[in-house]
């Protein structure tokens, strides 16, 4: 297997992204919505590095693939919706990369 991007390179990029988000939302409450399942690890890494005010985390799980396939069905089904009210909040959606 050939490594295209090393673990250290990914960590450095996540650090830079966290710095940018932290600067943009300094002192503001933020709701982070992680997209399951693919975005879970990236979301966890990113949230640990954020330096902002209050952070609440919730997750949503959706699928658009045909069963047993990698082809999209063309429609999205919500398997698990967020469990907190995000009305009037700053919302950061974290998807897999």
């Amino acid at each position: 297997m050939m490594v295209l991007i090393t673990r250290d390179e990914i960590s450095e990029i996540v650090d830079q992204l966290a710095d940018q988000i932290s600067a943009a939302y300094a002192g503001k409450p933020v709701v982070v919505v992680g997209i399951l399942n693919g975005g879970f690890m990236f979301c966890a890494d990113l949230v640990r590095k954020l330096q902002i005010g209050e952070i609440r985390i919730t997750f949503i799980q959706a699928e658009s693939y045909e069963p047993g396939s990698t082809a999209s069905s063309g429609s999205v089904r919500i398997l698990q919706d967020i469990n907190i009210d995000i009305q009037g909040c700053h919302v950061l959606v974290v998807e897999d990369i």
Side-chain angles (χ1 to χ4, degrees), residues 62-94:
E63 71 177 10
S64 65
Y65 297 107
E66 296 289 345
S69 172
T70 57
S72 177
S73 66
S75 62
V76 177
R77 290 186 322 129
I78 303 298
L79 303 176
Q80 175 184 321
D81 207 345
I82 60 174
N83 58 7
I84 60 176
D85 183 12
I86 61 170
Q87 185 172 348
C89 297
H90 298 281
V91 178
L92 177 66
V93 177
V94 180

Side-chain angles (χ1 to χ4, degrees), residues 20-95:
Q20 291 174 5
I21 294 168
S22 294
Y25 292 100
K28 300 174 184 171
V30 173
V31 175
V32 175
V33 178
I35 309 298
L36 296 174
N37 290 333
F40 169 71
M41 295 300 286
F42 174 60
C43 184
D45 289 345
L46 180 64
V47 167
R48 275 193 290 266
K49 295 179 179 189
L50 292 178
Q51 296 181 8
I52 53 180
E54 176 189 347
I55 299 174
R56 294 185 295 161
I57 303 170
T58 188
F59 292 92
I60 188 169
Q61 186 176 25
E63 71 177 10
S64 65
Y65 297 107
E66 296 289 345
S69 172
T70 57
S72 177
S73 66
S75 62
V76 177
R77 290 186 322 129
I78 303 298
L79 303 176
Q80 175 184 321
D81 207 345
I82 60 174
N83 58 7
I84 60 176
D85 183 12
I86 61 170
Q87 185 172 348
C89 297
H90 298 281
V91 178
L92 177 66
V93 177
V94 180
E95 175 67 279

Side-chain angles (χ1 to χ4, degrees), residues 5-19 49:
I5 303 173
T6 68
R7 182 179 300 187
D8 289 341
E9 290 171 320
I10 292 171
S11 182
E12 184 178 322
I13 293 167
V14 174
D15 286 343
Q16 293 170 2
L17 185 57
D19 288 346
K49 295 179 179 189

